[in-house]
Amino acid sequence: MSTDTKFGNYGGQYVPEALMPAIDELTDAYRRYVLENEDGFMDEFRDRIRDFGGRPTPLQRAEQLSARYGVDVYLKREDLLHGGAHKLNNALGQVLLAKYMGKERIIAETGAGQHGTATAMAAAHLDMPCEIYMGRRDINRQRPNVFRMRINGAEVTPVDVGRGTLKEAISETMRDWATTVETTHYVIGSIVGPAPFPAMVRDFHSVISEEIRAQSLDRLGGLPGSVVACAGGGSNTMGAFAELLDNEGVTLYAVEAGGSSLTVDEEAGVAPHSASLSTGEEGVLHGARTKLLQDSHGQIMESHSVSSGLDYSGVGPELSHLVDTGRVKPVTVGDDDALEAFHRLSQDEGIIPALETAHAFGFLEAVAGPDGDGSVEFDEPIVVNVSGRGDKDLEAAIEETEKRNLENAPRMEVFDR
Amino acid sequence: MSLDDAFDEPAFVPYLAAGDPDFESSIEYVEALARGGADVIELGLPFSEPIAEGPTIQRAVVRALDGGMTPERFFEFVEALDVDVPLVCMTYYNLLYQYGDEPVRPFVERAAEVGISGFVVPDLPAEEADLLREACDEFGLDLIFIVAPTTAGERLERIMDRVSGYVYVQARLGVTGARTSLSDHTAETLARLEDYDVPKAVGFGISTGEHAAGVVEAGADGVIVGSALVDIVADGHDNDDPTADVAARLEVLARELKAGALEGSQRRSRPERT
Ligand SMILES: Cc1ncc(COP(=O)(O)O)c(C=O)c1O
């Protein structure tokens, strides 16, 4: 069946044979319902993402940050979407699609728990049973989201193999899917995986850049000069970029997790970062050819980031392609700078961002802040995609802040009751 | 050695992860399988993300990787083996892709050099396999594809067009792992393959001689057994058993499975059962 499954050299369908018929079936459903709006699928999606999801989300001027950096900074407030992150766009789209396809059960993996939460909400909203795989380590870092998934009626299944993060959770969900493929749809959580997932997930999220475009033209009198978004798998990144790719005047920055360092301990098989666009090499993981963190033998390396949603050894194939062609510029921000940015945005703008999102703001500070390196001359105005809110991260943020000596962090001693 | 004659009689095709739990013991384990009657041996080259494997083989992969297995070590492993049976390399695509200075070809060339007869690559569907098929043809290796219970129609034809050596018939949906009962999918899938002139080896879940007999009776030309054998390696490792004892247990189960496969074909040829 395969329509176009590639982005340049990247993409493809590298999955066990048992899944191939399901992938063909999904490709067909994607073409008919999403691309051709058969049975009014996209109309229903747009109605539901408006009424249940709360779209459109605002494009808000960040006054303090604009003053601090001397450039116009606007915030695309995906944190105000239902569930607190951009993830609902895709989760709702895919659960609805599964319904149109006549599937009976939803499975998903989650790293930060944000995609799991969005999927659990969408499944409850559309009355589908739902099981979420999550690495044991991520369960421990993201307890509030685990509770939210359970409260919305989803099963949460811990994954103990490996380091217990997103990479292992994706592998485990693929194994479940290979067993239950006839009745089950796998709602993949980013623009990763075998075709048609990367294109389809992008399409559900491209409502973000559609709104950025319309809101900018309407309110700012033109398109943004730069768009900045954090990249784990890259779904909020591609969502914010998709409808602006043809406008070469808009500079696009994908901010990756620089973790604690960009150097790698090959012996230990661990990268202390998650910067696959900036440092990775081409390979095949989880169904797609893309840029990966891997050792010289081709074994996939464990990644690291203070934010579990960026902690992934791969990245979407389309982003890999856009980086190779120069359309998207990859940059990195480390754990410390992301935490500083977390506190800055909270104090200066009254918005507690997800730790993932904080990386995007860390990039502004690193370039244009008082100690910035000035390495980039930003095209104005800048739109930063606020991919999610930080409520889920409060425990992790406090714990990580206490480990460091951050000048801009509040003291977080516990008050006696 | 070629796979041509491996299925002249119902074949027993065992799988072990090379280097599980260490290089030296693993050599003895593979040789024990050959003594036990293996007709082809599938050797796993461990990959860090084995998405087609159940818990048993996932843990074997971790043990082998912790034991220092790499693609180069794997080739040394094959060279060190003293067995008179064709060897098939079972691994994931990224390892073929990364080896050497271009994708796939250097890996296949090196595999041919050490005497590998073919490949099974569970995350490489026929649609993405042109590069590997070409390299296999160039160096005279077979490329085995998996056919699942869900595979039919155009996809089945595409696979059967590209397959050589044998087809790996996946007995049921899901991932590898020993089971205690047979799936009904097996007979259906075998029936769909009846008209294709290539040996059919059934795997996924076979753990006893009785299973093996049942599968061959249902029309298979061979049985592939992985997790049930890997379980023996895992037990031996967990209990610190001497390598020779573990090897002896592997040989016993191998004999049972081979005998099962032969028994299955006798049952098939008995007139009252047709
Ligand atoms: C708020 C938020 N932003 C970003 C990400 C990273 O994912 P992606 O790069 O696919 O947008 C996550 C992932 O969980 C997230 O929760």
Side-chain angles (χ1 to χ4, degrees):
Chain A
M1 236 243 28
S2 341
T3 48
D4 194 10
T5 68
K6 301 257 161 54
F7 306 94
N9 268 330
Y10 300 104
Q13 301 175 313
Y14 299 86
V15 294
E17 174 53 32
L19 292 178
M20 283 303 290
I23 284 185
D24 282 352
E25 184 190 347
L26 183 63
T27 304
D28 185 50
Y30 165 55
R31 184 177 50 74
R32 283 165 40 212
Y33 296 121
V34 181
L35 300 181
E36 292 165 18
N37 193 29
E38 192 173 304
D39 298 342
F41 172 85
M42 282 306 284
D43 302 322
E44 180 170 352
F45 169 65
R46 283 175 188 280
D47 286 350
R48 288 183 187 271
I49 198 66
R50 182 190 65 221
D51 296 345
F52 177 68
R55 298 213 76 94
T57 60
L59 183 69
Q60 178 218 331
R61 186 156 188 278
E63 287 167 22
Q64 272 61 247
L65 293 188
S66 295
R68 182 176 178 88
Y69 301 132
V71 291
D72 261 334
V73 179
Y74 285 83
L75 309 179
K76 181 57 178 166
R77 296 290 307 275
E78 290 297 292
D79 60 315
L80 293 179
L81 194 66
H82 177 48
H86 71 292
K87 298 280 177 186
L88 184 72
N89 301 317
N90 168 50
L92 185 67
Q94 283 200 54
V95 175
L96 189 63
L97 186 67
K99 235 186 155 118
Y100 273 59
M101 291 170 71
K103 297 289 176 185
E104 293 160 13
R105 172 177 174 255
I106 294 296
I107 55 173
E109 91 298 320
T110 196
Q114 206 57 52
H115 171 60
T117 299
T119 305
M121 285 171 171
H125 173 64
L126 292 164
D127 194 22
M128 297 270 270
C130 176
E131 180 170 354
I132 310 280
Y133 291 91
M134 188 168 184
R136 179 76 71 180
R137 180 184 149 86
D138 285 338
I139 286 184
N140 293 333
R141 306 198 258 189
Q142 299 287 346
R143 286 190 306 160
N145 270 339
V146 176
F147 297 145
R148 289 207 289 173
M149 287 181 257
R150 294 288 295 124
I151 286 169
N152 279 127
E155 286 302 326
V156 178
T157 305
V159 179
D160 285 308
V161 289
R163 245 174 95 249
T165 58
L166 182 56
K167 170 165 83 67
E168 290 80 16
I170 293 181
S171 295
E172 199 53 36
T173 317
M174 289 197 157
R175 294 186 185 107
D176 178 317
W177 200 29
T179 314
T180 58
V181 61
E182 288 161 310
T183 55
T184 299
H185 177 68
Y186 173 11
V187 179
I188 209 161
S190 191
I191 53 162
V192 302
F197 280 110
M200 182 175 74
V201 174
R202 173 205 63 207
D203 290 354
F204 287 133
H205 280 304
S206 64
V207 57
I208 302 171
S209 46
E210 216 175 272
E211 288 175 9
I212 291 178
R213 165 180 281 279
Q215 290 165 327
S216 304
L217 291 176
D218 185 37
R219 300 236 323 274
L220 317 179
L223 292 177
S226 311
V227 179
V228 180
C230 65
S235 68
N236 88 89
T237 324
M238 276 314 298
F241 296 171
E243 298 294 322
L244 299 165
L245 286 174
D246 292 340
N247 299 97
E248 296 284 340
V250 185
T251 313
L252 307 172
Y253 296 97
V255 187
E256 296 194 282
S260 56
S261 158
L262 284 181
T263 51
V264 162
D265 180 357
E266 166 129 356
E267 195 60 26
V270 177
H273 61 81
S274 309
S276 33
L277 287 172
S278 310
T279 73
E281 298 210 23
E282 194 181 328
V284 174
L285 175 66
H286 291 144
R289 190 188 301 183
T290 189
K291 289 183 189 285
L292 302 174
L293 302 179
Q294 55 186 325
D295 69 16
S296 57
H297 304 299
Q299 304 293 358
I300 308 305
M301 277 197 277
E302 300 289 351
S303 56
H304 162 83
S305 168
V306 68
S307 80
S308 38
L310 301 184
D311 197 348
Y312 181 52
S313 317
V315 66
E318 185 171 18
L319 261 188
S320 291
H321 175 61
L322 291 169
V323 163
D324 278 5
T325 60
R327 183 66 189 94
V328 168
K329 310 211 176 316
V331 295
T332 62
V333 164
D335 289 348
D336 295 354
D337 291 344
L339 276 165
E340 271 192 359
F342 172 89
H343 290 295
R344 180 166 304 106
L345 193 70
S346 302
Q347 290 162 28
D348 289 3
E349 298 289 347
I351 296 170
I352 302 178
L355 283 174
E356 291 80 7
T357 308
H359 285 74
F361 289 96
F363 173 53
L364 297 192
E365 182 73 12
V367 171
D371 299 323
D373 61 13
S375 56
V376 169
E377 184 93 20
F378 281 114
D379 299 307
E380 290 184 69
I382 303 173
V383 171
V384 183
N385 195 29
V386 185
S387 58
R389 62 179 154 99
D391 304 39
K392 70 182 175 68
D393 289 324
L394 293 185
E395 281 185 48
I398 291 166
E399 195 188 312
E400 293 292 336
T401 299
E402 277 172 353
K403 287 187 203 158
R404 293 167 170 81
N405 195 5
L406 296 184
E407 263 178 35
N408 74 343
R411 299 211 324 277
M412 292 299 301
E413 64 272 338
V414 180
F415 298 98
D416 287 330
R417 271 194 280 185
Chain B
M1 197 178 296
S2 113
L3 288 168
D4 285 350
D5 307 323
F7 293 86
D8 285 353
E9 59 175 30
F12 163 51
V13 184
Y15 162 97
L16 282 182
D20 170 25
D22 60 75
F23 193 95
E24 301 303 331
S25 326
S26 186
I27 293 268
E28 293 198 33
Y29 298 160
V30 174
E31 291 176 354
L33 296 176
R35 282 195 304 278
D39 299 289
V40 177
I41 298 177
E42 291 185 359
L43 281 182
L45 162 55
F47 178 52
S48 53
E49 315 305 312
I51 55 172
E53 317 296 352
T56 301
I57 294 179
Q58 282 178 51
R59 285 191 289 266
V61 165
V62 171
R63 285 191 299 270
L65 288 172
D66 287 349
M69 188 42 76
T70 64
E72 203 46 62
R73 279 296 269 169
F74 177 82
F75 295 128
E76 289 163 21
F77 185 90
V78 174
E79 282 178 319
L81 279 175
D82 181 15
V83 295
D84 194 20
V85 177
L87 301 171
V88 165
C89 169
M90 223 232 54
T91 195
Y92 287 77
Y93 195 51
N94 200 48
L95 299 188
L96 280 87
Y97 199 83
Q98 296 309 327
Y99 187 86
D101 51 10
E102 64 176 307
V104 178
R105 192 177 174 279
F107 189 98
V108 177
E109 181 171 16
R110 183 85 178 98
E113 226 170 74
V114 300
I116 291 282
S117 305
F119 291 106
V120 185
V121 186
D123 65 343
L124 189 71
E127 284 80 353
E128 306 280 2
D130 288 351
L131 205 56
L132 181 56
R133 181 70 266 180
E134 263 170 49
C136 283
D137 289 344
E138 182 182 345
F139 295 102
L141 270 67
D142 283 309
L143 181 52
I144 293 120
F145 284 103
I146 297 174
V147 165
T150 44
T151 313
E154 231 179 274
R155 292 218 65 261
L156 183 63
E157 276 171 41
R158 197 174 304 147
I159 292 171
M160 299 312 282
D161 237 24
R162 288 166 173 74
V163 76
S164 69
Y166 55 97
V167 223
Y168 189 137
V169 179
Q170 189 177 326
R172 52 180 168 72
L173 284 176
V175 293
T176 56
R179 293 290 195 285
T180 47
S181 69
L182 267 182
S183 147
D184 327 328
H185 285 308
T186 311
E188 279 169 43
T189 314
L190 284 171
R192 224 176 300 149
L193 292 170
E194 210 164 43
D195 295 338
Y196 295 97
D197 184 26
V198 58
K200 291 116 199 146
V202 173
F204 276 47
I206 296 170
S207 63
T208 66
E210 191 43 45
H211 278 171
V215 167
V216 171
E217 188 181 7
D221 302 297
V223 293
I224 304 172
V225 181
S227 296
L229 298 163
V230 172
D231 275 334
I232 293 178
V233 174
D235 265 359
H237 177 70
D238 292 346
N239 298 320
D240 263 334
D241 291 341
T243 303
D245 292 3
V246 178
R249 275 174 239 152
L250 286 168
E251 190 176 332
V252 168
L253 182 56
R255 281 188 202 291
E256 176 190 327
L257 290 160
K258 174 70 190 179
L262 293 173
E263 163 67 20
S265 78
Q266 272 166 18
R267 281 192 216 160
R268 203 184 344 170
S269 56
R270 268 177 222 145
E272 69 268 26
R273 308 257 333 179
T274 52

